[in-house]
Short mmCIF file of all heavy atoms in Angstrom, two decimals:
data_model
loop_
_atom_site.label_atom_id
_atom_site.label_comp_id
_atom_site.label_asym_id
_atom_site.label_seq_id
_atom_site.Cartn_x
_atom_site.Cartn_y
_atom_site.Cartn_z
N TYR A 274 -6.58 -9.57 0.66
CA TYR A 274 -7.25 -9.71 -0.74
C TYR A 274 -6.13 -9.86 -1.80
O TYR A 274 -5.10 -9.12 -1.66
CB TYR A 274 -8.10 -8.35 -0.90
CG TYR A 274 -8.62 -8.18 -2.32
CD1 TYR A 274 -9.64 -9.06 -2.76
CD2 TYR A 274 -7.94 -7.45 -3.26
CE1 TYR A 274 -10.28 -8.92 -3.93
CE2 TYR A 274 -8.50 -7.23 -4.54
CZ TYR A 274 -9.57 -8.01 -4.96
OH TYR A 274 -10.19 -8.14 -6.19
N THR A 275 -6.42 -10.64 -2.80
CA THR A 275 -5.46 -10.74 -3.88
C THR A 275 -6.09 -10.19 -5.05
O THR A 275 -7.12 -10.52 -5.54
CB THR A 275 -5.13 -12.35 -4.18
OG1 THR A 275 -4.61 -12.81 -2.93
CG2 THR A 275 -4.14 -12.45 -5.33
N THR A 276 -5.34 -9.24 -5.72
CA THR A 276 -5.86 -8.46 -6.87
C THR A 276 -5.72 -9.37 -8.15
O THR A 276 -5.28 -10.54 -8.05
CB THR A 276 -4.95 -7.23 -7.21
OG1 THR A 276 -3.63 -7.73 -7.64
CG2 THR A 276 -4.85 -6.34 -5.92
N ALA A 277 -6.40 -8.84 -9.24
CA ALA A 277 -6.35 -9.58 -10.52
C ALA A 277 -4.86 -9.91 -11.09
O ALA A 277 -4.76 -10.78 -11.80
CB ALA A 277 -7.14 -8.82 -11.67
N LYS A 278 -3.92 -9.04 -10.59
CA LYS A 278 -2.49 -9.36 -10.89
C LYS A 278 -1.72 -10.14 -9.84
O LYS A 278 -0.52 -10.10 -10.06
CB LYS A 278 -1.89 -7.97 -11.18
CG LYS A 278 -2.43 -7.15 -12.44
CD LYS A 278 -1.79 -6.01 -12.70
CE LYS A 278 -2.27 -5.31 -13.89
NZ LYS A 278 -1.56 -4.07 -14.37
N CYS A 279 -2.63 -10.81 -9.06
CA CYS A 279 -1.96 -11.71 -8.21
C CYS A 279 -1.10 -10.93 -7.04
O CYS A 279 -0.04 -11.68 -6.59
CB CYS A 279 -1.29 -12.90 -8.90
SG CYS A 279 -2.40 -13.81 -9.82
N VAL A 280 -1.44 -9.83 -6.70
CA VAL A 280 -0.55 -9.14 -5.63
C VAL A 280 -1.65 -9.21 -4.39
O VAL A 280 -2.69 -8.78 -4.53
CB VAL A 280 -0.38 -7.80 -5.98
CG1 VAL A 280 0.44 -7.08 -4.85
CG2 VAL A 280 0.55 -7.67 -7.20
N THR A 281 -1.17 -9.67 -3.30
CA THR A 281 -1.89 -9.77 -1.94
C THR A 281 -1.71 -8.60 -1.07
O THR A 281 -0.61 -8.27 -0.87
CB THR A 281 -1.68 -11.17 -1.34
OG1 THR A 281 -1.84 -12.36 -2.23
CG2 THR A 281 -2.50 -11.23 -0.01
N VAL A 282 -2.73 -8.07 -0.70
CA VAL A 282 -2.75 -7.00 0.21
C VAL A 282 -3.26 -7.62 1.60
O VAL A 282 -4.35 -8.23 1.61
CB VAL A 282 -3.57 -5.81 -0.13
CG1 VAL A 282 -3.53 -4.63 0.91
CG2 VAL A 282 -3.16 -5.21 -1.44
N THR A 283 -2.63 -7.28 2.72
CA THR A 283 -2.91 -7.88 3.93
C THR A 283 -3.10 -6.66 4.96
O THR A 283 -2.41 -5.71 4.89
CB THR A 283 -2.03 -8.78 4.50
OG1 THR A 283 -1.76 -9.85 3.51
CG2 THR A 283 -2.39 -9.46 5.82
N VAL A 284 -4.09 -6.81 5.85
CA VAL A 284 -4.15 -5.81 6.93
C VAL A 284 -2.82 -5.69 7.70
O VAL A 284 -2.23 -6.71 8.01
CB VAL A 284 -5.33 -6.10 7.93
CG1 VAL A 284 -5.26 -5.21 9.23
CG2 VAL A 284 -6.59 -6.07 7.25
N GLY A 285 -2.20 -4.51 7.85
CA GLY A 285 -1.02 -4.37 8.56
C GLY A 285 0.11 -4.01 7.48
O GLY A 285 1.15 -3.57 7.93
N ASP A 286 -0.14 -4.29 6.15
CA ASP A 286 0.98 -3.91 5.14
C ASP A 286 1.10 -2.47 5.18
O ASP A 286 0.20 -1.70 5.40
CB ASP A 286 0.59 -4.43 3.78
CG ASP A 286 0.58 -5.95 3.57
OD1 ASP A 286 1.18 -6.55 4.47
OD2 ASP A 286 0.14 -6.34 2.66
N LYS A 287 2.34 -2.13 4.75
CA LYS A 287 2.69 -0.61 4.64
C LYS A 287 3.13 -0.34 3.16
O LYS A 287 3.81 -1.16 2.66
CB LYS A 287 3.88 -0.19 5.64
CG LYS A 287 3.35 -0.23 7.02
CD LYS A 287 4.60 0.00 7.95
CE LYS A 287 4.31 -0.33 9.38
NZ LYS A 287 5.56 -0.10 10.19
N PHE A 288 2.77 0.85 2.63
CA PHE A 288 3.14 1.10 1.41
C PHE A 288 3.64 2.77 1.40
O PHE A 288 3.16 3.43 2.30
CB PHE A 288 1.96 1.14 0.43
CG PHE A 288 1.55 -0.37 0.12
CD1 PHE A 288 0.55 -0.87 0.98
CD2 PHE A 288 2.00 -0.98 -0.94
CE1 PHE A 288 0.12 -2.25 0.72
CE2 PHE A 288 1.60 -2.32 -1.36
CZ PHE A 288 0.67 -2.89 -0.33
N THR A 289 4.32 3.13 0.40
CA THR A 289 4.80 4.45 0.44
C THR A 289 4.62 4.99 -1.10
O THR A 289 4.59 4.11 -2.07
CB THR A 289 6.18 4.68 0.86
OG1 THR A 289 6.45 6.11 0.89
CG2 THR A 289 7.16 4.09 -0.07
N ASP A 290 4.57 6.42 -1.27
CA ASP A 290 4.24 6.76 -2.63
C ASP A 290 5.69 6.75 -3.40
O ASP A 290 6.68 7.14 -2.74
CB ASP A 290 3.93 8.36 -2.44
CG ASP A 290 2.55 8.41 -1.78
OD1 ASP A 290 1.51 8.21 -2.37
OD2 ASP A 290 2.59 9.00 -0.58
N ILE A 291 5.67 6.44 -4.66
CA ILE A 291 6.68 6.45 -5.54
C ILE A 291 7.22 7.84 -5.86
O ILE A 291 8.34 8.07 -5.73
CB ILE A 291 6.48 5.69 -6.82
CG1 ILE A 291 6.24 4.15 -6.60
CG2 ILE A 291 7.67 5.71 -7.75
CD1 ILE A 291 7.31 3.34 -5.91
N TYR A 292 6.36 8.70 -6.09
CA TYR A 292 6.69 10.06 -6.54
C TYR A 292 6.80 11.10 -5.52
O TYR A 292 7.07 12.26 -5.84
CB TYR A 292 5.72 10.51 -7.66
CG TYR A 292 5.74 9.56 -8.88
CD1 TYR A 292 4.69 8.66 -9.15
CD2 TYR A 292 6.75 9.66 -9.65
CE1 TYR A 292 4.76 7.96 -10.19
CE2 TYR A 292 6.88 8.84 -10.83
CZ TYR A 292 5.90 7.85 -11.09
OH TYR A 292 5.91 7.18 -12.21
N ARG A 293 6.77 10.91 -4.38
CA ARG A 293 6.94 11.80 -3.21
C ARG A 293 8.52 11.75 -2.89
O ARG A 293 9.05 10.64 -2.58
CB ARG A 293 6.12 11.55 -1.99
CG ARG A 293 4.79 11.90 -2.43
CD ARG A 293 3.96 11.94 -0.99
NE ARG A 293 2.51 12.07 -1.27
CZ ARG A 293 1.75 13.08 -0.90
NH1 ARG A 293 2.45 14.02 -0.08
NH2 ARG A 293 0.58 13.21 -1.08
N ASP A 294 9.10 12.83 -2.70
CA ASP A 294 10.49 12.88 -2.35
C ASP A 294 10.69 12.28 -0.99
O ASP A 294 10.14 12.76 -0.08
CB ASP A 294 11.08 14.25 -2.38
CG ASP A 294 11.16 14.95 -3.64
OD1 ASP A 294 11.18 14.26 -4.71
OD2 ASP A 294 10.97 16.21 -3.91
N GLY A 295 11.69 11.28 -0.93
CA GLY A 295 12.03 10.80 0.29
C GLY A 295 10.99 9.77 0.97
O GLY A 295 11.09 9.50 2.17
N GLY A 296 9.92 9.40 0.18
CA GLY A 296 8.95 8.56 0.80
C GLY A 296 8.39 9.21 1.99
O GLY A 296 8.23 8.49 3.09
N VAL A 297 7.82 10.33 1.74
CA VAL A 297 7.35 11.14 2.91
C VAL A 297 6.18 10.46 3.54
O VAL A 297 6.14 10.33 4.79
CB VAL A 297 6.70 12.50 2.23
CG1 VAL A 297 6.10 13.34 3.46
CG2 VAL A 297 7.83 13.31 1.68
N ARG A 298 5.17 9.81 2.95
CA ARG A 298 3.95 9.22 3.43
C ARG A 298 4.24 7.72 3.62
O ARG A 298 4.68 7.08 2.67
CB ARG A 298 2.78 9.44 2.75
CG ARG A 298 2.23 10.80 2.65
CD ARG A 298 0.93 10.97 2.13
NE ARG A 298 0.66 10.24 0.90
CZ ARG A 298 -0.59 9.91 0.40
NH1 ARG A 298 -1.56 10.66 0.92
NH2 ARG A 298 -0.82 9.30 -0.69
N VAL A 299 3.77 7.08 4.69
CA VAL A 299 3.68 5.67 4.80
C VAL A 299 2.19 5.38 5.04
O VAL A 299 1.75 5.77 5.88
CB VAL A 299 4.58 5.07 5.88
CG1 VAL A 299 4.41 3.54 6.09
CG2 VAL A 299 6.15 5.26 5.54
N LEU A 300 1.73 4.46 4.26
CA LEU A 300 0.26 4.17 4.26
C LEU A 300 0.14 2.86 4.93
O LEU A 300 0.64 1.81 4.41
CB LEU A 300 -0.34 4.08 2.91
CG LEU A 300 -0.05 5.26 1.98
CD1 LEU A 300 -0.81 5.00 0.64
CD2 LEU A 300 -0.50 6.57 2.71
N LEU A 301 -0.52 2.57 6.05
CA LEU A 301 -0.84 1.44 6.76
C LEU A 301 -2.17 0.94 6.49
O LEU A 301 -3.09 1.64 6.75
CB LEU A 301 -0.74 1.68 8.26
CG LEU A 301 -1.08 0.38 9.15
CD1 LEU A 301 0.00 -0.60 9.04
CD2 LEU A 301 -1.02 0.96 10.62
N VAL A 302 -2.29 -0.19 6.00
CA VAL A 302 -3.70 -0.82 5.61
C VAL A 302 -4.32 -1.18 6.94
O VAL A 302 -3.72 -2.11 7.73
CB VAL A 302 -3.37 -2.12 4.77
CG1 VAL A 302 -4.77 -2.79 4.52
CG2 VAL A 302 -2.82 -1.82 3.37
N VAL A 303 -5.45 -0.64 7.25
CA VAL A 303 -6.14 -0.90 8.48
C VAL A 303 -7.40 -1.83 8.37
O VAL A 303 -7.83 -2.37 9.23
CB VAL A 303 -6.58 0.40 9.20
CG1 VAL A 303 -5.30 1.08 9.66
CG2 VAL A 303 -7.43 1.16 8.40
N GLU A 304 -8.00 -1.81 7.02
CA GLU A 304 -9.08 -2.71 6.77
C GLU A 304 -9.27 -2.98 5.43
O GLU A 304 -8.85 -2.10 4.59
CB GLU A 304 -10.34 -2.02 7.41
CG GLU A 304 -11.55 -2.80 7.45
CD GLU A 304 -12.82 -2.06 8.03
OE1 GLU A 304 -12.56 -1.17 8.74
OE2 GLU A 304 -14.00 -2.53 7.64
N ILE A 305 -9.76 -4.06 5.01
CA ILE A 305 -10.09 -4.46 3.68
C ILE A 305 -11.55 -4.79 3.54
O ILE A 305 -12.12 -5.75 4.38
CB ILE A 305 -9.22 -5.54 3.24
CG1 ILE A 305 -7.82 -5.20 3.25
CG2 ILE A 305 -9.55 -6.02 1.75
CD1 ILE A 305 -6.76 -6.42 3.07
#
């Protein structure tokens, strides 16, 4: 899916929180 700001999210992408110390969580996109 491509957002209104032209950023594409794909199943399998990984993200982490900016404000958590040391990037504690990694979020794996499993479905859109």
